[in-house]
Short mmCIF file of all heavy atoms in Angstrom, two decimals:
data_model
loop_
_atom_site.label_atom_id
_atom_site.label_comp_id
_atom_site.label_asym_id
_atom_site.label_seq_id
_atom_site.Cartn_x
_atom_site.Cartn_y
_atom_site.Cartn_z
N HIS X 1 0.82 -1.24 -0.03
CA HIS X 1 -0.03 0.07 -0.01
C HIS X 1 0.89 1.32 0.02
O HIS X 1 0.50 2.26 0.65
CB HIS X 1 -0.94 -0.01 1.22
CG HIS X 1 -1.79 -1.27 1.36
ND1 HIS X 1 -2.96 -1.31 0.64
CD2 HIS X 1 -1.60 -2.47 1.92
CE1 HIS X 1 -3.47 -2.53 0.90
NE2 HIS X 1 -2.68 -3.24 1.64
N ALA X 2 1.99 1.22 -0.66
CA ALA X 2 2.86 2.36 -0.71
C ALA X 2 2.11 3.61 -1.28
O ALA X 2 1.34 3.47 -2.18
CB ALA X 2 4.12 2.07 -1.52
N LEU X 3 2.48 4.76 -0.75
CA LEU X 3 1.91 6.04 -1.24
C LEU X 3 2.62 6.47 -2.47
O LEU X 3 3.87 6.54 -2.42
CB LEU X 3 2.02 7.11 -0.17
CG LEU X 3 0.99 7.08 1.03
CD1 LEU X 3 1.47 7.98 2.10
CD2 LEU X 3 -0.39 7.48 0.56
N VAL X 4 1.95 6.79 -3.52
CA VAL X 4 2.54 7.56 -4.70
C VAL X 4 2.40 9.04 -4.38
O VAL X 4 1.37 9.48 -4.08
CB VAL X 4 1.81 7.15 -5.97
CG1 VAL X 4 2.35 7.94 -7.13
CG2 VAL X 4 1.92 5.66 -6.25
N LEU X 5 3.50 9.70 -4.40
CA LEU X 5 3.54 11.05 -3.97
C LEU X 5 2.50 11.95 -4.62
O LEU X 5 1.73 12.63 -3.97
CB LEU X 5 4.95 11.66 -4.22
CG LEU X 5 5.09 13.15 -3.83
CD1 LEU X 5 4.90 13.34 -2.32
CD2 LEU X 5 6.52 13.65 -4.25
N ARG X 6 2.42 11.93 -5.94
CA ARG X 6 1.43 12.78 -6.65
C ARG X 6 0.07 12.37 -6.19
O ARG X 6 -0.76 13.29 -6.03
CB ARG X 6 1.61 12.58 -8.17
CG ARG X 6 0.66 13.47 -8.92
CD ARG X 6 0.97 13.34 -10.48
NE ARG X 6 0.83 11.98 -10.92
CZ ARG X 6 -0.30 11.41 -11.27
NH1 ARG X 6 -1.43 12.07 -11.18
NH2 ARG X 6 -0.31 10.15 -11.75
N GLU X 7 -0.24 11.09 -6.04
CA GLU X 7 -1.61 10.66 -5.67
C GLU X 7 -1.92 11.19 -4.28
O GLU X 7 -3.08 11.61 -3.97
CB GLU X 7 -1.72 9.17 -5.77
CG GLU X 7 -1.60 8.64 -7.17
CD GLU X 7 -1.71 7.15 -7.21
OE1 GLU X 7 -1.75 6.53 -6.10
OE2 GLU X 7 -1.64 6.57 -8.31
N ALA X 8 -0.94 11.13 -3.35
CA ALA X 8 -1.16 11.58 -2.00
C ALA X 8 -1.48 13.08 -1.96
O ALA X 8 -2.38 13.58 -1.27
CB ALA X 8 0.05 11.28 -1.13
N VAL X 9 -0.73 13.84 -2.71
CA VAL X 9 -0.98 15.31 -2.79
C VAL X 9 -2.35 15.58 -3.30
O VAL X 9 -3.11 16.41 -2.82
CB VAL X 9 0.12 15.98 -3.66
CG1 VAL X 9 -0.24 17.49 -3.94
CG2 VAL X 9 1.46 15.93 -2.93
N GLU X 10 -2.78 14.88 -4.38
CA GLU X 10 -4.10 15.07 -4.97
C GLU X 10 -5.22 14.70 -4.00
O GLU X 10 -6.23 15.34 -3.94
CB GLU X 10 -4.25 14.22 -6.26
CG GLU X 10 -3.40 14.77 -7.44
CD GLU X 10 -3.52 13.76 -8.67
OE1 GLU X 10 -4.07 12.71 -8.46
OE2 GLU X 10 -2.97 14.21 -9.68
N ALA X 11 -4.98 13.60 -3.24
CA ALA X 11 -5.98 13.14 -2.32
C ALA X 11 -6.15 14.18 -1.17
O ALA X 11 -7.26 14.47 -0.79
CB ALA X 11 -5.57 11.81 -1.69
N LEU X 12 -5.04 14.76 -0.72
CA LEU X 12 -5.15 15.76 0.39
C LEU X 12 -5.83 17.00 -0.12
O LEU X 12 -6.58 17.60 0.60
CB LEU X 12 -3.73 16.04 0.91
CG LEU X 12 -3.10 14.96 1.73
CD1 LEU X 12 -1.63 15.28 1.95
CD2 LEU X 12 -3.81 14.79 3.09
N GLU X 13 -5.58 17.38 -1.42
CA GLU X 13 -6.16 18.54 -1.90
C GLU X 13 -7.69 18.30 -2.07
O GLU X 13 -8.50 19.25 -1.70
CB GLU X 13 -5.68 18.81 -3.36
CG GLU X 13 -6.17 20.07 -4.03
CD GLU X 13 -5.68 20.28 -5.40
OE1 GLU X 13 -4.74 19.51 -5.82
OE2 GLU X 13 -6.05 21.24 -6.08
N ALA X 14 -8.11 17.18 -2.51
CA ALA X 14 -9.56 16.87 -2.68
C ALA X 14 -10.18 16.80 -1.23
O ALA X 14 -11.37 17.33 -0.99
CB ALA X 14 -9.77 15.59 -3.40
N ALA X 15 -9.54 16.16 -0.29
CA ALA X 15 -10.09 16.00 1.03
C ALA X 15 -10.27 17.33 1.75
O ALA X 15 -11.16 17.50 2.54
CB ALA X 15 -9.15 15.14 1.92
N GLY X 16 -9.39 18.32 1.47
CA GLY X 16 -9.65 19.63 2.06
C GLY X 16 -10.93 20.28 1.70
O GLY X 16 -11.51 21.13 2.52
N ARG X 17 -11.48 19.93 0.53
CA ARG X 17 -12.64 20.48 0.05
C ARG X 17 -13.94 19.59 0.32
O ARG X 17 -15.03 20.02 0.11
CB ARG X 17 -12.67 20.77 -1.46
CG ARG X 17 -11.49 21.67 -1.89
CD ARG X 17 -11.62 21.96 -3.40
NE ARG X 17 -11.68 20.79 -4.19
CZ ARG X 17 -10.61 20.23 -4.80
NH1 ARG X 17 -9.48 20.78 -4.63
NH2 ARG X 17 -10.71 19.10 -5.50
N ASP X 18 -13.67 18.45 0.91
CA ASP X 18 -14.68 17.41 1.07
C ASP X 18 -15.24 17.54 2.45
O ASP X 18 -14.56 17.32 3.49
CB ASP X 18 -14.09 16.02 0.86
CG ASP X 18 -15.13 14.94 0.72
OD1 ASP X 18 -16.22 15.14 1.27
OD2 ASP X 18 -14.84 13.90 0.20
N ASP X 19 -16.55 17.83 2.60
CA ASP X 19 -17.17 18.09 3.87
C ASP X 19 -17.25 16.78 4.73
O ASP X 19 -17.40 16.82 5.96
CB ASP X 19 -18.59 18.64 3.72
CG ASP X 19 -18.60 20.10 3.23
OD1 ASP X 19 -17.51 20.79 3.40
OD2 ASP X 19 -19.60 20.54 2.58
N ARG X 20 -17.16 15.66 4.05
CA ARG X 20 -17.21 14.39 4.76
C ARG X 20 -15.88 14.16 5.57
O ARG X 20 -15.90 13.36 6.53
CB ARG X 20 -17.43 13.23 3.78
CG ARG X 20 -18.77 13.29 3.05
CD ARG X 20 -18.86 12.27 1.92
NE ARG X 20 -17.80 12.52 0.96
CZ ARG X 20 -17.58 11.75 -0.12
NH1 ARG X 20 -18.45 10.72 -0.37
NH2 ARG X 20 -16.71 12.03 -1.03
N VAL X 21 -14.87 14.72 5.10
CA VAL X 21 -13.54 14.50 5.77
C VAL X 21 -13.38 15.50 6.89
O VAL X 21 -13.36 16.78 6.65
CB VAL X 21 -12.37 14.66 4.78
CG1 VAL X 21 -11.04 14.49 5.47
CG2 VAL X 21 -12.48 13.62 3.66
N LYS X 22 -13.34 15.07 8.10
CA LYS X 22 -13.33 15.93 9.28
C LYS X 22 -11.95 16.22 9.78
O LYS X 22 -11.72 17.30 10.44
CB LYS X 22 -14.16 15.31 10.44
CG LYS X 22 -15.54 14.83 9.97
CD LYS X 22 -16.38 16.11 9.44
CE LYS X 22 -17.79 15.73 9.04
NZ LYS X 22 -18.54 16.82 8.40
N ALA X 23 -10.96 15.26 9.61
CA ALA X 23 -9.65 15.48 10.12
C ALA X 23 -8.68 14.60 9.47
O ALA X 23 -9.04 13.75 8.59
CB ALA X 23 -9.68 15.13 11.66
N LEU X 24 -7.39 14.75 9.79
CA LEU X 24 -6.34 13.99 9.21
C LEU X 24 -5.36 13.52 10.35
O LEU X 24 -5.07 14.28 11.25
CB LEU X 24 -5.51 14.84 8.24
CG LEU X 24 -4.17 14.21 7.64
CD1 LEU X 24 -4.55 13.06 6.74
CD2 LEU X 24 -3.41 15.30 6.91
N VAL X 25 -4.93 12.29 10.26
CA VAL X 25 -3.95 11.71 11.21
C VAL X 25 -2.65 11.29 10.43
O VAL X 25 -2.88 10.62 9.41
CB VAL X 25 -4.45 10.54 11.99
CG1 VAL X 25 -3.39 9.97 12.90
CG2 VAL X 25 -5.67 10.87 12.80
N ILE X 26 -1.51 11.82 10.83
CA ILE X 26 -0.29 11.37 10.17
C ILE X 26 0.35 10.38 11.06
O ILE X 26 0.60 10.56 12.25
CB ILE X 26 0.65 12.62 10.03
CG1 ILE X 26 -0.02 13.71 9.15
CG2 ILE X 26 1.97 12.20 9.40
CD1 ILE X 26 0.77 15.01 9.18
N ARG X 27 0.62 9.25 10.52
CA ARG X 27 1.44 8.18 11.23
C ARG X 27 2.87 8.18 10.67
O ARG X 27 3.09 7.69 9.59
CB ARG X 27 0.75 6.85 11.17
CG ARG X 27 1.36 5.88 12.10
CD ARG X 27 0.45 4.65 12.41
NE ARG X 27 0.96 3.93 13.57
CZ ARG X 27 0.35 2.89 14.07
NH1 ARG X 27 -0.75 2.40 13.49
NH2 ARG X 27 0.95 2.20 15.02
N ALA X 28 3.77 8.75 11.44
CA ALA X 28 5.11 8.92 10.98
C ALA X 28 6.06 8.03 11.75
O ALA X 28 5.68 7.20 12.56
CB ALA X 28 5.52 10.39 11.14
N GLY X 29 7.37 8.20 11.49
CA GLY X 29 8.38 7.48 12.18
C GLY X 29 9.02 6.34 11.45
O GLY X 29 10.13 5.92 11.82
N TRP X 30 8.36 5.77 10.47
CA TRP X 30 8.85 4.62 9.67
C TRP X 30 9.08 5.04 8.23
O TRP X 30 8.43 6.01 7.76
CB TRP X 30 7.95 3.48 9.76
CG TRP X 30 7.59 2.93 11.11
CD1 TRP X 30 8.11 3.31 12.22
CD2 TRP X 30 6.75 1.86 11.37
NE1 TRP X 30 7.64 2.58 13.33
CE2 TRP X 30 6.77 1.68 12.79
CE3 TRP X 30 5.97 0.98 10.62
CZ2 TRP X 30 5.99 0.64 13.39
CZ3 TRP X 30 5.19 0.02 11.27
CH2 TRP X 30 5.20 -0.15 12.66
N GLY X 31 9.87 4.30 7.50
CA GLY X 31 10.08 4.58 6.14
C GLY X 31 11.29 5.52 5.85
O GLY X 31 11.80 6.09 6.83
N ALA X 32 11.61 5.71 4.61
CA ALA X 32 12.77 6.47 4.21
C ALA X 32 12.37 7.52 3.16
O ALA X 32 12.91 7.31 1.99
CB ALA X 32 13.89 5.62 3.85
#
């Protein structure tokens, strides 16, 4: 389930305008 950078940016942009999305959680610490 690796994130494709461009897709992640597009998803965050769409989610910012989406009233169904109330919040975001970042799970960090792993990966390079």
Side-chain angles (χ1 to χ4, degrees):
H1 304 273
L3 283 167
V4 176
L5 177 63
R6 180 176 59 84
E7 294 176 358
V9 171
E10 290 176 353
L12 289 168
E13 181 181 0
R17 302 187 303 265
D18 192 336
D19 292 337
R20 298 170 299 179
V21 177
K22 308 301 181 183
L24 173 70
V25 178
I26 301 170
R27 192 159 189 180
W30 300 0

